[in-house]
Amino acid sequence: MFFETGISGSHRAEGLAHNPFKALVAPRPIGWISSLDAEGKANLAPYSFFNAVSDDPPVVMFSSSGWKHTVANVEATGEFVCNLATAHLQAQLNVSSAPVAADVDEFDLAGLAKAPSRLVRVPRVAAARAALECRLLRIVQLEDLAGTVCGAHVVFGQVVGIHIDDAVVDKGRIDMSRLQLLARLGYKDYSVTSDVFEMDRPA
């Protein structure tokens, strides 16, 4: 079958109940973004449009469908923490995705303890096995092929510090099977990184 997305994204193909785009561009790591508003209130929300885009300098991005609390907080303070979503915190991550008011602290809502960061003021998830302290580089509002401004806001941040649980480090390397990253597959489907193999590149 063939699926034409169309500029508006409103096209559908017979035999498909939903837009297949998000299900096909997968698995996607989940950036569990913590931030502070201008008054110092904490916010925590998961973003599955998240990834690393550079290693030198180390840069990550997450994309928000709409100007949500997280984006507003990052613009106001210039800082955020990307807590890596892992299987052992999947229930709490799901709770933190609830559409709640700006004054609700999702750390408290999900029963998660905060831990201080080293180089930014934003707290991190204490139980997270890895967390990236970030400073804002820029926020880009996307446009489509017709030049129409879209609702998606892409936040780019430079990683200035990394927290890693000693339990997932083996012989100086991150053991991915111990880390058990949680990934978004599309629809209501998720996956855990547990089946890991090595492969050498051609010389």
Side-chain angles (χ1 to χ4, degrees):
M1 63 178 63
F2 176 73
F3 181 92
E4 183 180 354
T5 62
I7 293 177
S8 66
S10 62
H11 290 66
R12 294 289 179 269
E14 187 173 346
L16 290 173
H18 302 281
N19 186 332
F21 172 72
K22 290 188 285 186
L24 291 173
V25 184
R28 300 191 305 277
I30 301 170
W32 205 4
I33 309 298
S34 54
S35 61
L36 292 174
D37 68 13
E39 285 74 46
K41 296 186 186 112
N43 179 275
L44 181 66
Y47 288 86
S48 67
F49 282 111
F50 161 79
N51 220 311
V53 295
S54 170
D55 66 346
D56 186 17
V59 176
V60 294
M61 59 70 65
F62 69 92
S63 179
S64 174
S65 298
W67 188 262
K68 296 181 180 176
H69 303 148
T70 301
V71 182
N73 290 352
V74 174
E75 183 189 53
T77 66
E79 300 177 338
F80 64 94
V81 174
C82 174
N83 306 274
L84 275 297
T86 49
H88 78 296
L89 293 175
Q90 66 185 61
Q92 293 91 328
L93 178 133
N94 193 41
V95 170
S96 73
S97 70
V100 295
D103 61 351
V104 174
D105 185 331
E106 288 89 351
F107 281 90
D108 295 338
L109 187 67
L112 291 163
K114 299 181 180 80
S117 295
R118 295 275 188 94
L119 303 176
V120 300
R121 292 169 296 162
V122 179
R124 57 193 173 89
V125 175
R129 289 177 176 156
L132 314 176
E133 296 186 17
C134 303
R135 291 201 177 114
L136 175 65
L137 289 172
R138 67 182 61 184
I139 300 173
V140 178
Q141 187 169 12
L142 298 183
E143 297 180 0
D144 65 15
L145 290 170
T148 303
V149 175
C150 306
H153 296 81
V154 184
V155 178
F156 292 90
Q158 184 165 330
V159 180
V160 295
I162 302 175
H163 298 264
I164 306 169
D165 186 341
D166 292 342
V168 303
V169 178
D170 181 38
K171 298 176 183 175
R173 296 177 58 181
I174 306 295
D175 186 327
M176 299 305 294
S177 61
R178 294 184 193 176
L179 186 59
Q180 293 202 308
L181 286 172
L182 196 63
R184 183 73 187 275
L185 300 179
Y187 311 122
K188 297 180 181 180
D189 300 331
Y190 293 80
S191 180
V192 177
T193 303
S194 55
D195 186 6
V196 181
F197 63 93
E198 289 190 355
M199 184 164 58
D200 290 329
R201 293 181 181 180

